Amino acid sequence: METLVNGKQTVTKTETMTGAEALIRSLLAEGVETIFGYPGGAIMPIYDALYNYKDQLNHILVRHEQGATHAAQGFARVRNEVGVVFATSGPGATNLITGIADAQIDSTPMVCITGQVASNLLGTDAFQETDVIGISMPVTKWNHQITDASEIPEIIAKAFYIARSGRPGPVVIDITKDAQFASLEYKYQKCTEIRTYHPVPKIKKDKLKEAAALINGAKQPFLLIGQGVLISQAQEVLRKFIEKAHIPSAWTILGLSALDNEHPLNVGMLGMHGNYAPNVLTNECDVLIAVGMRFDDRVTGDLSRYARQAKVIHIEIDPSEIDKNVKADVPVIGDARQVLEALMPLINENDHSSWLERFKQLHQIELDKIITHDLYPKTEGVRMGEVVRHISEATKGEAIIVTDVGQHQMVTSRYYKFRLPHSNITSGGLGTMGFALPAAMGAKVGRPDRPVVAVIGDGGFQMTIQELGTIFQYDIPVKIVILNNSFLGMVRQWQQLFFDRRYSFTEMKNPDFTAIAKGFSIESKKVTKREELEQGVKEMMLHPGAYLLEVTVEKEENVFPMVPSGAAISDIRME
């Protein structure tokens, strides 16, 4: 094959190989090092091809396909790279859907490769045939079915480009079995553009000037940090930006760790179980600057009473998010880092000390009423907050923390003192119970140089408990903390507050978690008393391998503050 390189004629060699091998070679060309997967009949040719590349690709055999997607999410989030998943057709593919939906709403780049029955059997209800393209379409950034082996290199290149560019997201590529067996002339070229797809919009200079004018004229500005800051690697320019303009800044649960928790302009967490000051003062600021966030209902509460007094600047890469929930006075469409860099020379140095003092005053109220009691309780039972405090102190705020979904998730987000970016891994938009254990596994595979601690409720842990087998097989030294209150705690809290304590099917009779850990050769310990807690956490962190620490916590502990469903965020409850 002849091509032109720098104006000169040259010969590009092609190789004849199967579609299955072409897929593996394409993954290597994209820099893939790790795959999370589970084999089966329809993807067997790909696994056979993978056998010859075991020294170049690290395949982690999970215990359930959903675990593969969550592990890939954890890997992708700590590395800021694309996570890769393999699964077979039918139930293998459908078991991926929850993780794919989770990745879609949380903007996590992932490429899922599914095997499919032979093309001549499509539509015949063949054994383990499922329309994975139709099923996954609503929860993917893009999907495509390959029936011709010659398509594989081009489609894989396109899949990785789409998954990682602009607002990231999951892509599903479904490959029929005959396409895996068939031969093709293989050559690979990375995708750098698609004619109809513009992932990074060009920033409009007039919007930058309008935004800067509002910021410079503000008396009480307030900045909201979303996950877009982390995705675009904008955390350093964000810090310089808020320091120059002296703007109090709060974070969404997915924006957590973009700004050091100890930074003097970090005023805490937004939303339903966020901090008192940022929630109340959202409805008092005069300019609201949202960076890389989508105004989720958990952040805004009742939209009709959300920041009505403020001029809203919305910095967002995805145009579909503009005006979707909150009307923007100045929409600035573009990559968060590029926008902040362009705004920096346009904003003035400022001092909003009196405004910042309002946050400190309200924080003191929360400190006296809630935080001190959560972190240093005088009650007999162990509280979730003090467990998180000990973990934070033992790790000096430098661990990667992976949380499941529920009360423990909110408490950990509130009380762990994050010092480093890309350190908070959680299921934000979908709220997937069972996320944490496999995601922590993937995070540790992605960042073996950093401690990874999974904080999980007893309910969520049992949804993906089988992944202890993966941790055991691959000797993944993740630390697992189970906060055991023998309840589905968040649901129970709502039942207590809003359903007259009618605890309908939320109490759990749990197994002996330490005995289960022992069955997987994982060291473990159970803590039931406060005086055992500090030493238990230290032992866990000092242990060189995987470790499970079960802590029995107060059975009916509630998480406050709390914005009731349908209320304004400024109507946040302290008890």
Side-chain angles (χ1 to χ4, degrees):
M1 174 174 289
E2 293 184 347
T3 58
L4 289 176
V5 178
N6 296 327
K8 297 180 180 179
Q9 195 172 56
T10 186
V11 176
T12 301
K13 291 183 179 179
T14 61
E15 298 178 68
T16 301
M17 62 183 67
T18 67
E21 184 169 5
L23 170 69
I24 302 300
R25 293 279 290 273
S26 298
L27 295 179
L28 288 169
E30 289 293 337
V32 173
E33 300 172 359
T34 301
I35 300 162
F36 301 92
Y38 204 98
I43 200 170
M44 210 173 290
I46 289 172
Y47 270 89
D48 186 65
L50 181 62
Y51 189 86
N52 296 324
Y53 292 87
K54 290 188 292 185
D55 294 337
Q56 295 168 264
L57 283 166
N58 177 32
H59 180 279
I60 305 292
L61 175 64
V62 296
R63 296 304 185 260
H64 189 281
E65 291 90 351
Q66 182 179 340
T69 56
H70 295 327
Q73 286 176 274
F75 182 92
R77 296 260 287 274
V78 298
R79 294 273 289 256
N80 224 21
E81 295 177 5
V82 179
V84 179
V85 174
F86 280 0
T88 193
S89 63
T94 59
N95 282 343
L96 302 179
I97 296 300
T98 296
I100 292 169
D102 196 290
Q104 173 78 342
I105 199 166
D106 282 355
S107 303
T108 304
M110 186 162 67
V111 171
C112 297
I113 310 294
T114 56
Q116 183 56 275
V117 300
S119 54
N120 66 304
L121 295 176
L122 290 172
T124 69
D125 291 333
F127 177 67
Q128 290 192 334
E129 181 198 359
T130 301
D131 180 9
V132 68
I133 296 300
I135 291 171
S136 66
M137 188 173 293
V139 292
T140 49
K141 192 175 177 185
W142 182 60
N143 65 12
H144 184 84
Q145 185 175 76
I146 295 175
T147 58
D148 183 340
S150 65
E151 283 191 292
I152 288 174
E154 180 184 359
I155 294 301
I156 294 301
K158 189 175 178 181
F160 275 83
Y161 176 65
I162 291 172
R164 65 164 65 102
S165 60
R167 180 180 180 176
V171 170
V172 168
I173 304 299
D174 193 46
I175 309 178
T176 60
K177 198 168 184 178
D178 52 320
Q180 298 171 46
F181 275 124
S183 296
L184 71 151
E185 294 295 309
Y186 176 79
K187 64 183 180 68
Y188 196 81
Q189 183 175 349
K190 282 194 174 185
C191 180
T192 57
E193 63 176 346
I194 298 171
R195 186 163 56 90
T196 57
Y197 171 57
H198 306 287
V200 183
K202 187 176 181 180
I203 302 167
K204 295 182 178 179
K205 291 183 179 180
D206 60 325
K207 296 300 179 185
L208 291 173
K209 291 177 181 177
E210 289 178 41
L214 279 180
I215 294 167
N216 291 335
K219 301 298 182 186
Q220 297 182 164
F222 187 26
L223 188 140
L224 313 182
I225 303 168
Q227 192 190 13
V229 172
L230 290 161
I231 291 170
S232 66
Q233 301 280 26
Q235 53 269 14
E236 185 59 22
V237 68
L238 173 84
R239 180 186 62 78
K240 293 176 180 178
F241 181 88
I242 64 171
E243 287 175 352
K244 183 177 182 181
H246 202 240
I247 303 175
S249 303
W251 32 267
T252 68
I253 194 170
L254 290 176
L256 176 54
S257 83
L259 181 66
D260 189 330
N261 275 57
E262 300 298 323
H263 194 286
L265 291 171
N266 188 333
V267 295
M269 175 174 157
L270 298 160
M272 181 172 280
H273 290 285
N275 293 108
Y276 185 58
N279 277 307
V280 170
L281 296 179
T282 296
N283 281 358
E284 294 185 23
C285 67
D286 58 359
V287 174
L288 187 68
I289 309 151
V291 186
M293 52 91 75
R294 57 192 176 83
F295 288 112
D296 173 75
D297 64 295
R298 285 297 196 263
V299 166
T300 64
D302 181 5
L303 280 169
S304 68
R305 292 180 282 169
Y306 181 78
R308 306 298 291 178
Q309 79 295 337
K311 295 290 186 182
V312 176
I313 300 168
H314 193 177
I315 299 169
E316 172 59 48
I317 198 168
D318 184 354
S320 71
E321 294 294 345
I322 301 296
D323 296 339
K324 186 173 80 176
N325 295 323
V326 173
K327 175 71 177 175
D329 295 279
V330 181
V332 187
I333 302 172
D335 174 81
R337 180 169 54 83
Q338 293 177 9
V339 171
L340 291 173
E341 287 173 345
L343 274 174
M344 276 291 284
L346 303 179
I347 62 167
N348 300 331
E349 290 191 15
N350 218 322
D351 184 354
H352 295 292
S353 295
S354 59
W355 171 232
L356 186 61
E357 189 61 31
R358 287 277 291 128
F359 285 89
K360 294 178 181 178
Q361 291 167 357
L362 294 186
H363 175 71
Q364 188 63 48
I365 294 171
E366 183 182 351
L367 187 67
D368 295 341
K369 199 169 184 69
I370 296 171
I371 296 174
T372 300
H373 176 57
D374 280 349
L375 298 182
Y376 302 94
K378 296 178 180 178
T379 53
E380 182 179 343
V382 176
R383 291 182 70 84
M384 292 180 283
E386 63 181 313
V387 181
V388 174
R389 173 175 64 83
H390 281 295
I391 297 170
S392 188
E393 291 171 354
T395 59
K396 300 178 181 178
E398 296 178 351
I400 292 169
I401 302 296
V402 187
T403 50
D404 214 76
V405 173
Q407 288 181 314
H408 70 277
Q409 178 189 32
M410 298 296 107
V411 170
T412 305
S413 299
R414 285 170 55 80
Y415 295 133
Y416 189 85
K417 300 297 184 183
F418 290 91
R419 305 303 307 272
L420 302 173
H422 301 287
S423 296
N424 170 54
I425 311 300
T426 196
S427 172
L430 198 64
T432 304
M433 290 180 68
F435 172 88
L437 186 62
M441 188 172 73
K444 187 62 181 177
V445 171
R447 289 299 305 269
D449 57 316
R450 291 186 62 189
V452 175
V453 182
V455 183
I456 315 177
D458 47 305
F461 181 67
Q462 292 178 83
M463 287 194 169
T464 49
I465 194 171
Q466 70 279 349
E467 297 308 330
L468 290 175
T470 310
I471 291 168
F472 166 53
Q473 179 170 345
Y474 294 95
D475 194 20
I476 303 170
V478 65
K479 313 305 179 186
I480 305 157
V481 180
I482 302 173
L483 301 184
N484 186 358
N485 58 12
S486 297
F487 264 116
L488 299 177
M490 188 63 83
V491 183
R492 183 213 54 76
Q493 178 169 335
W494 278 62
Q495 288 174 336
Q496 177 185 333
L497 297 176
F498 308 115
F499 293 89
D500 299 322
R501 292 182 180 268
R502 291 162 59 86
Y503 295 162
S504 181
F505 302 101
T506 48
E507 190 166 8
M508 304 191 77
K509 185 175 181 180
N510 289 318
D512 184 341
F513 293 122
T514 58
I516 291 171
K518 185 177 180 180
F520 288 101
S521 298
I522 294 172
E523 288 292 320
S524 62
K525 183 174 184 174
K526 184 172 182 176
V527 169
T528 60
K529 299 177 181 178
R530 179 166 291 119
E531 51 267 29
E532 303 168 336
L533 179 58
E534 184 176 5
Q535 184 59 31
V537 171
K538 286 181 178 178
E539 285 179 17
M540 175 182 71
M541 296 311 303
L542 288 172
H543 184 72
Y547 196 102
L548 185 147
L549 180 68
E550 178 188 354
V551 183
T552 302
V553 295
E554 285 186 7
K555 197 166 184 180
E556 295 190 41
E557 177 184 349
N558 288 332
V559 182
F560 286 105
M562 179 181 184
V563 180
S565 181
I569 55 166
S570 52
D571 293 334
I572 187 168
R573 290 178 54 169
M574 300 286 274
E575 57 185 13

